Amino acid sequence: MSDSSDPRSEISDADYAKIKALCAEGDDLGDQEDYAAALEKYWIAFDLIPEPKEDWEAALWVLVAIGDANYLTQGYEAGRENLSAAMHCPGGVGNPFIHMRLGQCQFELGNLDQAADELTRAYAIAGDEIFYQEDNKYMEFLKTRITLN
């Protein structure tokens, strides 16, 4: 098992640097809305992470970037899969952004109970501010499921 306090304990410094650089390139491409190219960079980075991948913090941020790009391109099923996988990585459960994006993917797929669960977790952890730049439909939906403060 990896030492999650040092995500590089079994990833070579060279591979760790490559992972970070590829993710930065992916982020820049995502900022330009070139999500297909961003996803290519993220998947190359993901492939550099040793098995079992879910033991690594690096897998968390790569999978979240992939899941976010999936969501932004309406690839909701892929987003659900990748964000769910991120939940198994160190730091995944309890991360409000991951819960929000996973809830949004579940909502778009019509899995409303799962959407409500994930969106509630995001709201409970981060409050309504996490939803400020998101489509209002998610908060409106959440209001039908829980009482907001």
Side-chain angles (χ1 to χ4, degrees):
M1 185 109 159
S2 68
D3 175 6
S4 63
S5 64
D6 180 8
R8 297 176 293 167
S9 62
E10 295 176 33
I11 298 176
S12 73
D13 288 343
D15 281 348
Y16 189 74
K18 285 180 198 173
I19 292 165
K20 287 182 71 171
L22 286 161
C23 287
E25 290 175 40
D27 293 347
D28 289 343
L29 290 162
D31 289 345
Q32 299 167 34
E33 298 185 7
D34 187 351
Y35 299 113
L39 283 166
E40 286 181 37
K41 298 292 183 184
Y42 296 140
W43 281 118
I44 294 168
F46 188 73
D47 288 342
L48 292 172
I49 300 169
E51 295 290 344
K53 294 184 186 301
E54 64 272 3
D55 285 353
W56 299 94
E57 287 180 25
L60 172 73
W61 33 271
V62 175
L63 284 168
V64 171
I66 291 168
D68 188 39
N70 295 146
Y71 168 80
L72 293 169
T73 58
Q74 300 179 352
Y76 304 122
E77 193 166 321
R80 177 185 61 196
E81 291 172 20
N82 292 310
L83 293 164
S84 293
M87 288 289 188
H88 297 285
C89 299
V93 173
N95 179 306
F97 181 80
I98 301 172
H99 287 292
M100 180 189 70
R101 273 292 184 258
L102 181 54
Q104 290 168 320
C105 288
Q106 294 284 23
F107 177 88
E108 298 299 339
L109 291 167
N111 302 323
L112 300 183
D113 289 341
Q114 294 92 335
D117 182 56
E118 296 298 339
L119 294 173
T120 298
R121 290 173 194 269
Y123 177 80
I125 297 165
D128 60 356
E129 65 189 50
I130 195 165
F131 293 95
Y132 283 166
Q133 295 184 3
E134 303 302 318
D135 190 311
N136 285 336
K137 68 183 173 183
Y138 301 112
M139 279 299 289
E140 293 304 314
F141 165 71
L142 194 54
K143 289 177 186 177
T144 69
R145 296 297 183 109
I146 65 170
T147 303
L148 304 179
N149 293 333

